Amino acid sequence: MGKLERHVTITDVAALAGVSVGTASKALNGRGSLREETRARVREAARQLNFEVNAGARSLHSGRTYTVGMITTDTIGRFSIPVLMGAEDALGAGQMSVFLCDGRDDPIREQYHVKTLIGRRVDGIIVTGRRTEARAPISPALPVPVVYAYIGSTDPDDCSVVPDEAGGARKAVEHLLAVGRTRVAQITGPEHHHSARVRAGAAAERLAESGLAPAGPPLFGAWSEVWGRQAIGMLLAGGTDFDAVFCGSDQIARGVADALRSVGRRVPEDVALVGFDNWGVMVEGSQPPLTSVDMNLEGLGRTAAEMLLAAINGSPSPGRHARPCHLVVRESTTVPLVPGAA
């Protein structure tokens, strides 16, 4: 008769990691003030031994369920899915699960989700959406911490993690200036939209700091390729002299690229073009590939989750936390070097 395999215990994990049982328990349950290298050593020992923390025992011991709710209004998922992926990366390291709820811009549905998540005794909630404009808090008082990610809260006491869109727009203009452009036109989304106003305003301010005026007033319209094509028609019909276009989104920029090509204006030789969002399907499908501002949504989601974990552990971070954007340079602003050219 074969020998039964012995069940691995936390004592085995502690012995392999060279720590006490109490320290091993704290490391695996995310408690206590331990050095990160100690936590990492214990986790590695647990992995080698295929030891899994019993979720039920962990919950009883700590009073936590090791679950987090995420409520989104972004039905398409263009912005919330990268935020969710980043949040899951951070939460997964602490062996926490995420319940995703779609509020669909419906206050009644959203409140139902809030009550359901609280009923499931989640340890915290992340709220996200498809716009960066601040929104009213999901509830005046909740028994668990809440962090707003990408979307912000109008309550300054809430924790909001948002992209620095103004900083991203400034980087776009700085790049256009660096490649020698001085007559920058702006084409962006609806004027009532927070992102459109912030990006356009920051771009104009950066031009002014260099003693330059925009090639014309910003053109506000839709977040679409159709609007990008229409706006170029308006600029050309009005006789606007421009050697660069900064667009409020990649969709608009792709329409701009199509329109410029159709009238024989070369990108980037005649007109340098920059978008915003760094949306893969748009920037890579554009001809030529599009230089664009990346808001690092996964990193933003990770930061939001880390702040939520800190709040759950008693260290909240109220206020608005802006994360930097970065520029991804492609062929729409720089002429590629030709091999063998002088």
Side-chain angles (χ1 to χ4, degrees):
M1 188 173 178
K3 184 178 180 181
L4 292 176
E5 184 178 348
R6 186 175 71 84
H7 182 66
V8 176
T9 69
I10 196 166
T11 303
D12 300 317
V13 174
L16 180 58
V19 298
S20 69
V21 172
T23 296
S25 177
K26 289 177 182 178
L28 294 174
N29 290 322
R31 296 182 293 109
S33 300
L34 303 177
R35 290 187 302 172
E36 184 53 38
E37 68 176 274
T38 301
R39 291 187 191 278
R41 193 164 73 247
V42 172
R43 286 196 295 263
E44 175 59 20
R47 187 193 66 77
Q48 290 182 24
L49 296 172
N50 292 321
F51 176 80
E52 293 185 6
V53 180
N54 182 282
R58 184 169 58 159
S59 177
L60 288 171
H61 180 73
S62 65
R64 290 165 51 178
T65 59
Y66 290 84
T67 57
V68 165
M70 176 177 277
I71 299 176
T72 179
T73 57
D74 180 19
T75 305
I76 299 173
R78 164 67 189 96
F79 300 104
S80 61
I81 288 178
V83 171
L84 171 64
M85 291 173 64
E88 282 192 319
D89 284 347
L91 295 169
Q95 297 183 316
M96 299 186 76
S97 300
V98 181
F99 294 129
L100 179 62
C101 304
D102 181 8
R104 301 186 191 178
D105 276 332
D106 181 347
I108 295 175
R109 180 185 292 270
E110 184 174 270
Q111 286 308 303
Y112 167 77
H113 288 316
V114 171
K115 291 177 182 176
T116 300
L117 291 171
I118 297 301
R120 286 178 174 265
R121 297 178 56 243
V122 295
D123 297 321
I125 296 174
I126 295 175
V127 181
T128 188
R130 65 176 178 273
R131 295 184 177 182
T132 55
E133 192 163 5
R135 53 153 292 165
I138 57 170
S139 182
L142 289 174
V144 297
V146 179
V147 172
Y148 295 79
Y150 186 70
I151 198 169
S153 170
T154 54
D155 187 342
D157 291 330
D158 285 335
C159 177
S160 300
V161 185
V162 297
D164 181 7
E165 296 177 276
R170 292 176 64 87
K171 289 177 181 178
V173 171
E174 287 165 2
H175 174 64
L176 290 172
L177 297 176
V179 295
R181 308 308 164 110
T182 58
R183 304 181 304 280
V184 182
Q186 286 196 68
I187 303 172
T188 190
E191 191 166 7
H192 68 267
H193 201 293
H194 175 261
S195 290
R197 296 194 310 273
V198 167
R199 296 170 188 179
E205 287 176 3
R206 182 61 187 85
L207 285 170
E209 289 171 9
S210 294
L212 298 171
L219 298 180
F220 294 96
W223 300 113
S224 69
E225 294 176 61
V226 172
W227 165 237
R229 292 192 290 269
Q230 291 174 342
I232 286 297
M234 293 167 61
L235 289 175
L236 295 175
T240 302
D241 180 23
F242 61 95
D243 61 7
V245 182
F246 171 47
C247 297
S249 79
D250 293 332
Q251 286 177 282
I252 294 172
R254 186 166 172 177
V256 166
D258 291 344
L260 290 171
R261 187 168 56 252
S262 70
V263 297
R265 300 284 288 271
R266 299 170 302 164
V267 176
E269 292 87 348
D270 300 323
V271 179
L273 179 61
V274 178
F276 207 108
D277 295 336
N278 198 34
W279 186 2
V281 67
M282 286 291 160
V283 297
E284 294 164 9
S286 181
Q287 296 182 20
L290 186 63
T291 293
S292 183
V293 178
D294 192 315
M295 292 183 285
N296 189 17
L297 296 179
E298 287 194 30
L300 190 148
R302 282 192 295 273
T303 298
E306 289 164 359
M307 287 188 168
L308 183 64
L309 288 172
I312 291 170
N313 289 322
S315 300
S317 301
R320 183 178 181 274
H321 306 270
R323 283 187 54 85
C325 301
H326 66 275
L327 189 72
V328 180
V329 178
R330 299 187 179 88
E331 287 91 330
S332 70
T333 55
T334 58
V335 180
L337 295 174
V338 179

